[in-house]
């Protein structure tokens, strides 16, 4: 547990998340500065709350004149998904110490959930490595927020660039995934879903609808076209199978049978 090998493998898995958090942590810190938060307060917020969506909501709602109760309720509602993330890791945490499982569950985010889920599915992954992925990611997020807050008064980031920062992290995660057929279906459907929602004026739930549509279509695709393990790379076509033809390379290493070596009517062997 927490060996050098585990630390290096966790850091390698967390790098895409950390790079993405720099892209969105800086503008988030700048937003915090606009409502009067100092670097220490931003650091405490990033450590204790640790919610990208929530930390973006707080200054925006504050500037819009929302009450403390409304801000608290909105951020709490947005973060309810974290409980589902944590609960889904219960089987993996069954044999881990309670303090380790609790700390891991408390530090799960959207991005680290995706990375750790994929690693657990591949096997040879442990809760301590998953926790370190979370902590590496949180460290990057916290430092980026502090830096953004410290230089917020001197840096003027255009709104479109700040808005694209949230997309940048998902691009970082996307390029590290295996491009299987199901993943490609999810990607295409999700992008199309977001585009159609925004085209019809559903800007608010566009990302949520697109993401759900992508996942559902990918699951349906996997169910309709299951991937066969151990299947030959070059299988015979239907016509070849009916005609009794042998696929290319099919005779390599196949022992001859008496039927193959039997002479035909002309005395020649087949």
């Amino acid at each position: 547990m927490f060996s050098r090998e585990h630390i290096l493998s966790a850091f390698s898995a967390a790098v895409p998340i950390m790079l993405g958090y720099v892209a969105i942590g800086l503008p988030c810190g700048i937003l915090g500065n606009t409502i009067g938060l100092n670097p220490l307060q931003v650091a405490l917020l990033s450590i204790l709350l640790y919610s990208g969506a929530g930390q973006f909501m707080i200054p925006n709602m504050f500037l819009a004149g929302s009450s403390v109760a409304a801000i608290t309720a909105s951020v709490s509602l947005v973060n309810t998904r974290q409980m589902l993330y944590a609960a889904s890791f219960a089987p993996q945490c069954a044999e881990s110490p309670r303090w380790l499982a609790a700390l891991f569950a408390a530090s799960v985010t959207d991005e680290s959930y995706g990375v750790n889920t994929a690693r657990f599915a591949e096997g040879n992954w442990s809760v301590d490595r998953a926790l370190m992925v979370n902590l590496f990611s949180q460290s990057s997020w916290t430092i980026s927020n502090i830096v953004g807050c410290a230089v917020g008064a001197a840096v003027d980031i255009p709104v479109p660039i700040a808005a694209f920062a949230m997309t940048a992290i998902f691009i970082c995660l996307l390029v590290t995934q295996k491009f299987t057929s199901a993943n490609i279906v999810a990607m295409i459907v999700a992008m199309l879903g977001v585009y159609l929602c925004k085209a019809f004026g559903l800007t608010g739930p566009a990302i949520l609808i697109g993401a759900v549509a992508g996942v559902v279509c990918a699951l349906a695709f996997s169910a309709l076209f299951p991937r066969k393990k151990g299947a030959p790379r070059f299988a015979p076509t239907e016509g070849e199978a009916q005609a009794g033809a042998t696929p290319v390379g099919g005779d390599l290493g196949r022992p001859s049978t008496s039927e193959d070596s039997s002479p035909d009517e002309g005395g020649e062997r087949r």
Side-chain angles (χ1 to χ4, degrees):
M1 184 181 294
F2 298 111
S3 63
R4 176 183 174 85
E5 179 187 355
H6 284 199
I7 293 173
L8 291 176
S9 60
F11 181 78
S12 176
V15 165
I17 305 176
M18 296 169 68
L19 294 176
Y21 279 179
V22 172
I24 61 176
L26 291 173
C28 186
I30 293 172
L31 281 175
N33 176 264
T34 61
I35 63 172
L37 297 179
N38 58 45
L40 176 59
Q41 291 170 325
V42 167
L44 292 174
L45 190 63
S46 300
I47 294 171
L48 299 177
L49 177 61
Y50 188 35
S51 167
Q55 288 181 240
F56 269 102
M57 289 174 62
I58 291 173
N60 284 322
M61 294 184 69
F62 182 84
L63 294 174
S66 301
S67 64
V68 175
I71 295 174
T72 302
S74 299
V75 173
S76 300
L77 181 61
V78 167
N79 288 337
T80 53
R81 70 191 188 282
Q82 309 294 350
M83 293 187 293
L84 300 177
Y85 292 159
S88 69
F89 286 121
Q92 289 80 9
C93 297
E95 299 181 359
S96 300
R98 289 189 178 181
W99 68 267
L100 181 63
L103 186 56
F104 168 59
S107 57
V108 175
T109 60
D110 302 86
E111 296 77 22
S112 64
Y113 173 81
V115 169
N116 283 322
T117 298
R119 295 294 176 130
F120 277 123
E122 292 173 0
N124 194 27
W125 199 243
S126 56
V127 177
D128 66 304
R129 279 180 282 196
L131 171 61
M132 285 187 285
V133 169
N134 294 354
L135 296 181
F136 281 131
S137 303
Q138 185 174 11
S139 299
S140 174
W141 171 255
T142 303
I143 294 172
S144 300
N145 270 263
I146 294 172
V147 173
C149 181
V151 300
V155 176
D156 184 18
I157 298 180
V159 175
I161 295 179
F164 181 75
M166 187 66 75
T167 306
I169 187 171
F170 291 102
I171 294 177
C172 290
L173 293 175
L174 177 64
V175 298
T176 61
Q177 299 300 309
K178 294 180 179 179
F179 281 87
T180 62
S181 300
N183 285 349
I184 293 174
V185 169
M187 177 180 66
I188 294 175
V189 173
M191 290 191 300
L192 184 61
V194 172
Y195 174 79
L196 291 177
C197 286
K198 292 191 175 183
F200 287 97
L202 298 174
T203 303
I207 295 178
L208 176 61
I209 294 174
V212 172
V215 171
V216 169
C217 290
L219 291 174
F221 179 87
S222 299
L224 293 175
F225 305 99
R227 187 177 180 182
K228 297 181 180 179
K229 295 183 178 180
R233 185 176 180 183
F234 299 103
T237 62
E238 184 178 354
E240 289 174 336
Q242 291 177 352
T246 303
V248 176
D251 273 338
L252 299 178
R254 181 171 63 87
S256 354
T257 61
S258 58
E259 183 179 356
D260 292 334
S261 58
S262 61
D264 59 13
E265 295 179 358
E268 297 179 356
R269 296 189 182 274
R270 299 178 188 173

